[in-house]
Amino acid sequence: MIRTEELLLNVGPQHPSTHGVFRIIVKLDGEVITEATPVIGYLHRGTEKLAENLTYTQVIPYTDRMDYVSAMTNNYVLCHAVETLMDLEIPERAEFLRLIVMELQRIASHLVWWGTYLLDIGAMSPFLYAFREREMIVNMFNELCGARLTYFYMRVGGVKWDAPEGWIDKVRDFIPYMREKLDEYEQLVSGNEIFLARVKGVGTYDAQSAIDFGLSGANLRSTGVKFDLRKDQPYSIYDRFDFDVPVQTAGDCYARYLVRFEEIKQSLRILEQAVEQFPEDGQIMAKVPRVIRPPEGEVYTRIESPRGEIGCHIVSKKKPQPYRLKFRRPSFVNLQILPKLLVGETMTNLVTILGGIDIVLGEVDG
Amino acid sequence: MKGIVKGMGVTLKNLTKKKVTHQYPDVPLEMPDRFRGVQHFDPEKCIVCNQCMNICPTDCIDLIGKKNPDPEKKGKVIDTYDINFEICILCDLCTEVCPTEAIVMTNNFELATYSRDDLFKNMEWLNDNNTNVRKENSINIPPKKAKKEEK
Amino acid sequence: MSDQKQVTEMDPKESKKNIENIEEEVTEEPSPNQDRLDRIVELIKTNIAEDAIEVAFINELDRDLPCIVIRSPYWVKTAMLLKESELLKLNYLRNVSGIDFETHFEVVYYLLSMSTGNQLDVCIKVKADRENPSIPSITSVWNTANWNEREIYDLLGVQFPGHPNLKRIMMPDDWEGHPLRKDYEPIDPEV
Amino acid sequence: MNLLQDLTFSSFMWFLSGAVVLLAVVLGFVTYAIYFERKVIGWIQLRKGPNRVGPLGLFQTVADVLKLLLKEDTIPRNADRFLFILAPVIAFVPAFVVLATIPYTSLLQFADLNVGLLYYFALSSISTIGILLGGWASNNKYSLLGGMRSAAQMISYEVPLVMSVVGVVLLSGSLSLNTIVEGQAGGFWQWNILPQFVGFIIFIIAAVSELNRTPFDLPEAESELVAGYHVEYSGFRFAFFMLAEYVYVYAIAALTTVLFLGGWHSPLPFLDFIPAIVWFILKFLSIVFFLFWIRATLPRIRVDHLMSLGWKVLLPLALVNIFVTTIVIELIKYFK
């Protein structure tokens, strides 16, 4: 008599494919998952609590550490929220610098995603190739603001540093280089039959459930919902640039892959225009009082981070410190759909689906 | 099969390409001027205004001032100045607020030690850390002036 | 140039979609969203109850965002209405925040419509008293609320009756207290 | 062959020293195969590869092995001790034993069995039992999954592997590896790879799968099962598994050379002045390089795809290949 039992497997918190300290308890029937329970909080640093005792400027370096793969957009969302509260007008040159670093950051972040995703799927080399290109962006950031990961570049009212001499030219040169490399990536991976078999039709959900679960970014756009905050609720100076919002309709891992891949190309397009229109001269900081005391009130700003809609909700009591600071962290929200997707899939697909959602644990746990 | 063959071609091409890695500890890494490394502290310049201590988001700076030993001069001089690099995040805010550039960033970044105790750096250590000091230092430079320097 | 820019910054979607005529001086004129707010208030009042709404106002600091404070007993029904009504179709819950105001708790929901095209936000607030705070869960309406409510329960201690799995999410299960409360004192200050 | 017939003490010593020499050669190969693999993959990934220990990092593997030998030997408390210890041995021994039948040149061969090919396949599948045992005995869920995958993979791929070489056997009319090579003399157009191209492709795919290497490294898939069947192994027991894997790389590369690439024969007759062993090594190394190359390029295949590929594509193809080969051979015979 054969006795079969369900296997309770504890994937993580230390596991090569959970992209950090994420734990998911799966019940396995053979290799098929019958139940999945995510457990998070291993990286919870209490940013929101810490922020209540810090001034707005002091909070910005903490946001670097939330989504550490895309620190620039985190910087921006906080600054943008405070600026909205204070009704500040940002100098043109600062806006351009912000936009350029944010788009570079989007490319860098998607490159990290691309590399690690293929590493999850089992291909080693793409990771190294992606990091070669990311390294160039990181070096540019290093030159601009003196750090390679936690940039702390933006301030309320502008940016800390002006672009050093020749920096804009470096960005300009990077665009055709990156385009060429994207072609290489496409040849290396996008047509690979093994890869396609791994991602097509895996982790499918429809637009209805994507909206219901509050997904954003590529996770939402892969289901055919054409919603990109840069276009639909523009912030910064995105309305001046011409770019498309890539959309796929299949809603599977491959669709998400294609959306992100296309987003890199669109970011390059934006960069191309931004570099051309970059103002010759100008201030990089608005006139901001030394102690930032936004008026009493409440604001919620949201921008399109590489992972989706990152939001910042500030409750201000006219003090230098925020009364309550809450971040809408896209990875945290996007991850909620995971248990639903995993049921009935194999262990192998767990890795593919989790990688496809593109989470950063620093952001999930806040 | 076609996709696989294409991919194989890409990797084969890369086999002979120039390598991009650094021989790191053998060949030191050159950081750009703005790089935020371990601070250099100059006790001579410090006026004990406590701004760096107050702005520090992680409270990693501890300083104590004393009365100026020279009775003719007013104000305070620095007595002890410690930075705890266990929690310092090298965010640059202390150098940004410093009115006299007594604390400045350097390009030195190697902080790894075998003991956490070694990460407490006192005034002497910070004063001796005077190589690769950053040239362009404070946001207090008025933007217009900064622009001129750039050009 | 600068004038025009200010307008785009103030209310980009307005200028783009041309729903309303652009008001340059928002502070003096009634807000462009006032009439939208009135419509929502009207809808809730007719369909739910006359006293479902505590107060409704325009948050001028936040790009004239319509804000409605709902009394918590009516919240689930109102949520269903907001999501289902043909007029609004607020099917996307973008953010849930919990705030400790020391006198009371407030949970703020930012809603958005993905299907009606005029993607305008609405902000809904629900209050809970300081002793024994409790707000009905809306996980059954928007799945997004699931983890967000857990997070608020974990960090602020607001109960969400009706939630399928109201457990701590960030802190360990045996953690004492709710860290984001203003009067929170850690048991061991070193941790 | 005389050695086998009368086993005296001196012939036994010869025999033993031969085995020791082979072991030394194999260990030397494994040492530098690992080095070579890391270098090749490093180069492909725009890195330099190992370059610290010794000149050009040549002693890197030696240092690694030393480290493994010095490491604490841990056995999980709830593991099945006996099987846990036995598993690496079972995995390694067949890997070494199969090498006996490989003909390097017409003279250099340890045992010319007339069922050499059969011997190879029969023994090599025993290694999978070692992997399965190791996965089960560790009492770890990841390694259990790895072991299960390994067993499933072995069953699905052993069949097409054997079927794919039947065509070669039909062509040369023998199971002896030596005879198979002899049949491919006289230039590259005589090599089995041309008439048996389909067989060759199936053989390569199935062989990589048998090796448990990327893209078929499911039993140890590090991004899913952490390290699969050898999660709990450390120190020299882990080294044994590694050793077994690389010895199989050696064996499969040698076997491919023998079966499809004409063994020690030169590709063009006028190149015959180059010693036979050089040709063998060249062909052998290009196969080894190919294995490393695909490891650096391809993503991992999925378990269910692996099964369907094995049963639904490779096996029918192999059968068709046998069928067509037989018909062609018979037709040629008929018209001669």
Side-chain angles (χ1 to χ4, degrees):
Chain A
M1 174 80 187
I2 298 169
R3 193 171 63 102
T4 57
E5 247 178 56
E6 274 188 341
L7 194 68
L8 198 69
L9 186 65
N10 217 335
V11 183
Q14 307 294 335
H15 185 278
S17 295
T18 51
H19 296 238
V21 276
F22 170 61
R23 174 173 161 214
I24 179 157
I25 305 164
V26 290
K27 263 193 196 149
L28 289 176
D29 176 17
E31 276 218 27
V32 180
I33 296 166
T34 53
E35 197 187 319
T37 320
V39 181
I40 63 170
Y42 293 92
L43 204 60
H44 181 61
R45 292 148 299 180
T47 311
E48 290 167 10
K49 182 71 183 175
L50 284 166
E52 290 178 5
N53 296 312
L54 297 169
T55 63
Y56 287 99
T57 316
Q58 286 176 330
V59 180
I60 306 173
Y62 280 89
T63 64
D64 282 337
R65 281 137 183 98
M66 263 181 358
D67 179 356
Y68 39 76
V69 182
S70 159
M72 287 293 188
T73 44
N74 298 4
N75 280 187
Y76 183 79
V77 73
L78 178 62
C79 295
H80 184 47
V82 180
E83 284 152 11
T84 315
L85 258 184
M86 295 171 72
D87 200 10
L88 273 178
E89 197 182 333
I90 312 305
E92 181 96 340
R93 192 175 166 93
E95 282 284 20
F96 266 96
L97 277 168
R98 284 177 170 194
L99 180 122
I100 290 171
V101 294
M102 279 198 289
E103 287 310 311
L104 281 173
Q105 181 77 87
R106 193 181 313 277
I107 297 171
S109 169
H110 280 340
L111 283 175
V112 173
W113 169 80
W114 187 79
T116 50
Y117 191 48
L118 283 151
L119 201 62
D120 287 347
I121 290 181
M124 289 192 289
S125 301
F127 181 73
L128 279 289
Y129 296 156
F131 265 61
R132 169 185 57 187
E133 272 71 71
R134 176 178 178 267
E135 190 66 18
M136 300 183 73
I137 299 178
V138 167
N139 282 337
M140 282 193 259
F141 285 165
N142 196 6
E143 248 173 78
L144 183 68
C145 59
R148 294 167 52 83
L149 191 72
T150 48
Y151 307 112
F152 187 29
Y153 176 57
M154 296 178 199
R155 299 294 146 93
V156 175
V159 293
K160 160 135 186 172
W161 298 100
D162 203 345
E165 215 167 319
W167 193 80
I168 292 294
D169 296 325
K170 274 188 189 165
V171 179
R172 190 177 288 128
D173 295 343
F174 176 74
I175 298 164
Y177 171 81
M178 191 64 222
R179 289 220 167 105
E180 185 192 313
K181 289 298 165 196
L182 282 177
D183 285 345
E184 195 180 299
Y185 292 175
E186 229 157 49
Q187 278 180 24
L188 178 62
V189 175
S190 302
N192 188 308
E193 284 81 357
I194 299 177
F195 170 73
L196 294 179
R198 286 287 305 266
V199 291
K200 268 192 185 166
V202 172
T204 315
Y205 49 80
D206 58 357
Q208 185 65 42
S209 46
I211 291 170
D212 190 32
F213 275 93
L215 303 192
S216 49
N219 294 310
L220 179 64
R221 289 192 284 274
S222 70
T223 60
V225 181
K226 195 169 181 170
F227 181 70
D228 187 320
L229 289 165
R230 290 176 293 174
K231 268 258 193 280
D232 292 305
Q233 302 190 333
Y235 52 95
S236 190
I237 44 172
Y238 277 104
D239 45 355
R240 299 194 205 168
F241 300 107
D242 176 33
F243 65 98
D244 299 327
V245 179
V247 175
Q248 292 284 327
T249 49
D252 57 0
C253 284
Y254 185 56
R256 295 195 269 288
Y257 173 90
L258 289 178
V259 169
R260 294 208 177 90
F261 207 85
E262 186 61 32
E263 263 177 36
I264 301 181
K265 293 182 187 166
Q266 296 303 330
S267 288
L268 288 172
R269 260 180 81 187
I270 298 176
L271 276 177
E272 207 168 32
Q273 299 164 44
V275 167
E276 282 320 308
Q277 298 173 25
F278 191 70
E280 280 288 303
D281 217 338
Q283 301 278 336
I284 54 160
M285 268 301 259
K287 287 210 164 44
V288 181
R290 241 185 117 73
V291 178
I292 296 158
R293 252 185 253 270
E296 186 159 346
E298 207 173 321
V299 72
Y300 174 76
T301 54
R302 62 282 167 283
I303 63 163
E304 188 76 27
S305 102
R307 259 153 282 282
E309 171 180 330
I310 183 165
C312 178
H313 182 194
I314 296 179
V315 179
S316 160
K317 294 249 167 171
K318 206 163 183 345
K319 289 221 178 75
Q321 293 89 9
Y323 185 79
R324 172 86 168 95
L325 182 62
K326 148 98 189 178
F327 287 102
R328 183 226 199 251
R329 309 183 303 276
S331 299
F332 175 75
V333 180
N334 290 347
L335 193 57
Q336 287 192 59
I337 200 169
L338 184 70
K340 184 187 146 167
L341 297 182
L342 287 184
V343 175
E345 298 283 358
T346 58
M347 257 307 277
T348 320
N349 283 352
L350 183 153
V351 175
T352 321
I353 294 170
L354 183 63
I357 294 176
D358 186 19
I359 53 164
V360 168
L361 261 296
E363 198 179 55
V364 172
D365 293 343
Chain B
M1 214 52 195
K2 201 174 138 219
I4 291 176
V5 174
K6 258 191 191 168
M8 302 281 281
V10 173
T11 42
L12 194 65
K13 251 196 312 197
N14 278 303
L15 183 71
T16 52
K17 278 209 185 128
K18 198 171 160 283
K19 308 301 163 228
V20 293
T21 45
H22 295 275
Q23 293 276 73
Y24 163 57
D26 303 340
V27 184
L29 275 179
E30 286 293 322
M31 286 296 166
D33 179 55
R34 285 177 184 178
F35 186 72
R36 310 203 296 255
V38 180
Q39 292 93 333
H40 161 65
F41 178 72
D42 189 349
E44 308 273 295
K45 288 185 186 164
C46 180
I47 54 166
V48 201
C49 64
N50 285 359
Q51 282 198 56
C52 51
M53 193 166 81
N54 294 335
I55 194 91
C56 181
T58 60
D59 290 333
C60 69
I61 301 177
D62 267 314
L63 63 88
I64 300 172
K66 61 178 177 196
K67 270 188 92 175
N68 201 328
D70 187 350
E72 282 170 24
K73 282 181 188 161
K74 277 186 184 172
K76 282 177 164 181
V77 290
I78 193 80
D79 188 23
T80 62
Y81 194 97
D82 302 303
I83 299 183
N84 178 4
F85 279 98
E86 266 185 88
I87 53 175
C88 174
I89 54 175
L90 293 168
C91 67
D92 206 8
L93 277 171
C94 49
T95 66
E96 191 173 310
V97 295
C98 185
T100 59
E101 294 195 0
I103 186 158
V104 285
M105 287 284 176
T106 69
N107 276 6
N108 304 331
F109 56 89
E110 281 150 328
L111 272 170
T113 60
Y114 283 102
S115 159
R116 291 187 166 206
D117 299 339
D118 297 343
L119 290 170
F120 274 93
K121 304 293 188 194
N122 58 14
M123 196 160 74
E124 281 78 52
W125 192 94
L126 289 168
N127 191 22
D128 290 342
N129 181 34
N130 54 3
T131 49
N132 300 324
V133 173
R134 195 163 77 179
K135 292 178 201 78
E136 198 181 352
N137 245 311
S138 181
I139 200 177
N140 297 328
I141 311 168
K144 281 222 170 106
K145 205 175 132 207
K147 279 239 62 70
K148 248 179 237 161
E149 274 169 14
E150 196 191 298
K151 281 187 178 167
Chain C
M1 176 65 210
S2 78
D3 258 355
Q4 204 181 344
K5 188 168 172 261
Q6 199 177 356
V7 171
T8 32
E9 279 206 337
M10 290 300 299
D11 222 331
K13 51 231 151 153
E14 291 298 281
S15 63
K16 200 168 146 250
K17 309 264 174 182
N18 274 329
I19 293 168
E20 298 271 332
N21 283 334
I22 298 156
E23 315 292 340
E24 301 222 335
E25 245 105 80
V26 256
T27 38
E28 284 165 29
E29 305 282 323
S31 158
N33 284 336
Q34 186 65 47
D35 130 291
R36 187 180 155 75
L37 177 68
D38 294 343
R39 264 184 291 154
I40 301 171
V41 169
E42 192 56 44
L43 187 79
I44 295 173
K45 278 191 175 159
T46 48
N47 285 291
I48 305 293
E50 200 61 35
D51 61 343
I53 294 170
E54 205 173 310
V55 66
F57 58 94
I58 294 276
N59 185 354
E60 274 150 14
L61 285 171
D62 190 4
R63 308 177 194 76
D64 299 303
L65 190 72
C67 287
I68 303 168
V69 183
I70 306 268
R71 284 180 214 280
S72 82
Y74 301 104
W75 174 217
V76 178
K77 266 169 121 186
T78 316
M80 282 308 271
L81 174 76
L82 293 176
K83 189 186 175 189
E84 304 294 338
S85 100
E86 281 303 313
L87 182 70
L88 298 168
K89 277 218 182 282
L90 294 165
N91 50 3
Y92 188 79
L93 176 62
R94 52 179 10 175
N95 184 37
V96 186
S97 322
I99 303 155
D100 178 6
F101 277 109
E102 283 163 284
T103 52
H104 63 279
F105 286 103
E106 202 172 273
V107 177
V108 188
Y109 302 82
Y110 285 94
L111 298 168
L112 183 72
S113 173
M114 282 281 179
S115 35
T116 51
N118 57 345
Q119 285 150 338
L120 279 172
D121 306 59
V122 178
C123 165
I124 306 283
K125 298 180 178 195
V126 183
K127 287 180 179 168
D129 54 326
R130 199 65 168 60
E131 307 301 316
N132 234 338
S134 167
I135 289 168
S137 165
I138 46 144
T139 302
S140 52
V141 186
W142 296 284
N143 262 314
T144 327
N146 189 332
W147 283 17
N148 280 301
E149 284 177 352
R150 276 178 71 185
E151 193 186 7
I152 294 166
Y153 161 72
D154 186 359
L155 301 179
L156 284 161
V158 179
Q159 293 286 340
F160 289 94
H163 190 283
N165 181 26
L166 197 65
K167 287 198 300 191
R168 285 190 181 271
I169 188 164
M170 293 297 172
M171 311 306 279
D173 284 343
D174 54 356
W175 192 267
E176 295 211 7
H178 300 283
L180 267 181
R181 286 194 180 188
K182 291 283 176 185
D183 55 359
Y184 173 72
E185 294 286 342
I187 292 177
D188 179 1
E190 286 295 306
V191 177
Chain D
M1 287 307 97
N2 289 333
L3 285 175
L4 270 177
Q5 278 149 15
D6 42 10
L7 190 64
T8 63
F9 181 72
S10 65
S11 65
F12 172 73
M13 286 315 284
W14 273 112
F15 219 64
L16 190 69
S17 57
V20 169
V21 169
L22 178 65
L23 185 64
V25 169
V26 169
L27 287 182
F29 164 80
V30 169
T31 308
Y32 287 96
I34 293 175
Y35 171 78
F36 183 54
E37 171 167 35
R38 291 178 61 180
K39 274 285 186 195
V40 165
I41 294 181
W43 290 330
I44 286 182
Q45 295 173 349
L46 309 154
R47 299 181 284 118
K48 289 195 169 83
N51 62 352
R52 288 298 158 116
V53 191
L56 300 170
L58 279 168
F59 301 138
Q60 181 65 49
T61 319
V62 181
D64 286 346
V65 170
L66 266 179
K67 185 204 75 178
L68 283 177
L69 293 181
L70 292 174
K71 265 180 116 169
E72 188 193 349
D73 172 39
T74 53
I75 299 179
R77 190 183 302 144
N78 288 332
D80 188 321
R81 252 189 110 76
F82 176 67
L83 292 180
F84 188 84
I85 293 168
L86 190 66
V89 181
I90 295 187
F92 173 68
V93 170
F96 184 60
V97 171
V98 294
L99 299 181
T101 53
I102 305 282
Y104 302 98
T105 67
S106 52
L107 301 170
L108 189 60
Q109 185 184 21
F110 289 90
D112 183 13
L113 299 184
N114 52 6
V115 287
L117 199 55
L118 215 54
Y119 168 86
Y120 180 97
F121 290 125
L123 282 179
S124 69
S125 43
I126 293 176
S127 281
T128 310
I129 296 175
I131 291 175
L132 185 61
L133 276 185
W136 186 80
S138 309
N139 197 8
N140 177 309
K141 289 162 184 172
Y142 287 119
S143 58
L144 179 64
L145 285 173
M148 278 175 4
R149 282 184 177 188
S150 170
Q153 196 171 326
M154 187 269 281
I155 293 167
S156 334
Y157 277 77
E158 198 77 1
V159 182
L161 184 72
V162 177
M163 289 298 178
S164 66
V165 294
V166 170
V168 174
V169 175
L170 287 172
L171 283 178
S172 53
S174 168
L175 280 169
S176 155
L177 293 174
N178 220 328
T179 322
I180 292 175
V181 180
E182 289 300 350
Q184 301 177 62
F188 69 87
W189 52 89
Q190 297 287 352
W191 295 357
N192 283 335
I193 185 171
L194 294 177
Q196 283 299 312
F197 190 72
V198 177
F200 173 72
I201 297 288
I202 297 167
F203 181 81
I204 285 287
I205 294 174
V208 176
S209 172
E210 282 288 292
L211 285 173
N212 290 338
R213 291 178 62 83
T214 318
F216 301 98
D217 59 343
L218 301 158
E220 48 177 288
E222 72 270 12
S223 61
E224 298 145 30
L225 302 182
V226 190
Y229 63 90
H230 55 60
V231 170
E232 298 287 357
Y233 280 90
S234 69
F236 69 96
R237 291 185 216 286
F238 170 72
F240 260 84
F241 277 122
M242 282 301 274
L243 196 62
E245 183 180 330
Y246 281 91
V247 173
Y248 269 118
V249 169
Y250 178 98
I252 284 288
L255 193 67
T256 316
T257 313
V258 166
L259 290 178
F260 293 99
L261 299 179
W264 58 83
H265 296 301
S266 59
L268 295 164
F270 67 87
L271 287 172
D272 277 345
F273 63 92
I274 298 173
I277 188 76
V278 174
W279 286 118
F280 185 88
I281 290 174
L282 277 179
K283 292 171 191 172
F284 168 82
L285 285 182
S286 54
I287 298 286
V288 173
F289 172 76
F290 177 75
L291 289 176
F292 297 160
W293 181 21
I294 56 171
R295 177 160 179 216
T297 311
L298 298 182
R300 186 177 306 114
I301 203 162
R302 212 167 77 195
V303 189
D304 44 342
H305 294 156
L306 179 92
M307 297 299 153
S308 52
L309 178 71
W311 292 108
K312 292 183 188 160
V313 182
L314 294 187
L315 186 61
L317 261 182
L319 289 173
V320 169
N321 182 42
I322 297 171
F323 186 65
V324 173
T325 312
T326 325
I327 289 176
V328 171
I329 290 173
E330 286 304 313
L331 284 178
I332 289 172
K333 262 191 205 158
Y334 182 77
F335 286 113
K336 256 185 187 167

